[in-house]
Amino acid sequence: MKLHIKEFAKLTGVSVRTLHYYDEIGLLKPAAVDGQNGYRFYDEMCLARMQEVMFYRELDFSLKEIDAILSAPDYDKQAALHAQKRLLTLKKDRLERLISALDDAMKGEEISMNVFDNSDYDSQRSAYAQEAKEKWGNTDAYKESMERTKGYSKEKWNAVNEGMNVLMAEFADCRANGNAPESDAAQALVKRWQDYITKHHYTCTKEILAGLGEMYTADERFTANIDKHGEGTAAFMCAAIRAYCR
């Protein structure tokens, strides 16, 4: 799947302007951008990411909170999907009760006002929102990132993201030049990567860095984004970080 931004907007029900903003703040990057005309294109991984974003928006998370949670080294996508299924099942059950009540009303039968009760769903949603915030959004790194980035303008976010792209491109060049992940050149890049995250987001300890490195190959979305700079870059970064944190 390769959709132009207008097609992706229509598919997801999100405006083009919103997609531009998500791109600017790094929440949802397009799969590719045409270098000549700047057109953005989206693929299946973008759609999966958008689905997660929309789910958390349903839970009233802010965009910065969503970005921090989805980017957390210990984010458990499967656990999130299971929670989503539980909530959707509650919604489905309620809709089925409403449809049945409508059938009864059309027959002239009396229906109970309890059919409109949505407390089960509301309580489950609130419980999950709190659990997610406590598990993935209440770490010291998250708090530090929120505090440090709360005043970032769109221009600042663009500059920070561009700086990360420059470093990823340097990792790609390092690999292309035949350097091993354990080489001095690769290890120097890892140190710069760690320092960059610390400077612009949160204190990136070796423990956090190690988790990030593993995520670069474990999560296909991160792999695809990093490998835009050259196939195998994500695996190279992962191996270099693993050597650095050993």
Side-chain angles (χ1 to χ4, degrees), residues 2-101:
K2 186 177 181 181
L3 299 177
H4 184 271
I5 189 169
K6 290 183 178 179
E7 297 172 315
F8 191 74
K10 183 177 180 180
L11 176 64
T12 59
V14 175
S15 70
V16 170
R17 183 177 180 180
T18 297
L19 291 174
H20 281 164
Y21 182 61
Y22 285 3
D23 183 9
E24 288 174 3
I25 65 175
L27 180 62
L28 178 68
K29 306 293 289 184
V33 179
D34 191 304
Q36 293 184 336
N37 53 37
Y39 289 165
R40 295 168 170 86
F41 294 93
Y42 295 79
D43 60 10
E44 290 89 348
M45 287 182 289
C46 296
L47 182 60
R49 173 85 168 187
M50 175 58 80
Q51 289 170 345
E52 291 186 273
V53 170
M54 294 175 75
F55 172 62
Y56 281 112
R57 289 296 284 162
E58 286 291 323
L59 295 175
D60 297 321
F61 283 86
S62 70
L63 296 180
K64 284 189 177 181
E65 287 175 325
I66 296 170
D67 187 35
I69 290 170
L70 295 181
S71 301
D74 58 348
Y75 176 65
D76 191 336
K77 183 178 180 180
Q78 287 301 314
L81 290 174
H82 283 300
Q84 182 181 22
K85 183 177 180 179
R86 290 198 303 271
L87 292 172
L88 288 175
T89 299
L90 289 172
K91 276 192 171 183
K92 177 181 72 70
D93 292 344
R94 181 171 184 263
L95 286 174
E96 288 178 347
R97 291 196 304 271
L98 288 170
I99 291 171
S100 179

